[in-house]
């Protein structure tokens, strides 16, 4: 599938903004989530989402979780070690 057909839009909420952060004990943030969230095509598989994110953002994906919500199919993508979700989000234009 074409990556632009797989990813419909980024899912940007206060919770998803927190999920992008790396652990930084100096400021009191201990969770290392490094995740991005998207609304994806309902027919897209986890493998499709993984490939689309890797191609569009030039990153490696460690894990993909999907779920069906009232807003559509929601994918949570955890990036591999060495890749930063904040930098990938900047490519998206999501602050």
């Amino acid at each position: 599938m074409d990556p632009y057909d797989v990813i419909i839009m980024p899912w940007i909420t206060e919770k998803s903004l927190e999920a992008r952060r790396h652990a930084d004990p100096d400021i009191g943030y201990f969770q290392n989530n490094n995740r991005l969230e998207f609304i994806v095509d309902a027919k897209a598989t986890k493998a499709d989402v993984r490939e689309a994110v890797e191609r569009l953002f030039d990153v490696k994906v460690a894990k993909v979780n999907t779920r069906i919500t009232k807003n559509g199919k929601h994918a949570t993508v955890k990036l591999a070690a060495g890749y930063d979700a904040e930098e990938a989000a900047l490519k998206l234009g999501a602050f």
Side-chain angles (χ1 to χ4, degrees), residues 1-3 50-59:
M1 280 182 104
D2 180 41
R50 175 187 298 267
E51 182 183 341
V53 171
E54 287 180 350
R55 286 180 57 195
L56 289 175
F57 300 107
D58 196 29
V59 296

Side-chain angles (χ1 to χ4, degrees), residues 42-83:
K43 294 177 286 220
T45 63
K46 289 182 180 185
D48 292 336
V49 173
R50 175 187 298 267
E51 182 183 341
V53 171
E54 287 180 350
R55 286 180 57 195
L56 289 175
F57 300 107
D58 196 29
V59 296
K60 293 290 180 195
V61 173
K63 187 175 183 178
V64 176
N65 290 322
T66 59
R67 62 192 176 278
I68 305 296
T69 67
K70 65 180 180 180
N71 298 311
K73 190 170 190 177
H74 190 110
T76 301
V77 179
K78 183 172 177 101
L79 301 184
Y83 294 94

Side-chain angles (χ1 to χ4, degrees), residues 11-36:
W11 185 254
I12 301 174
T13 63
E14 192 171 330
K15 187 175 179 180
S16 69
L17 291 175
E18 285 291 317
R20 293 193 317 215
R21 298 173 63 188
H22 276 288
D24 190 356
D26 295 335
I27 62 170
Y29 189 75
F30 297 99
Q31 292 180 332
N32 192 15
N33 292 320
N34 203 26
R35 292 184 291 144
L36 295 170

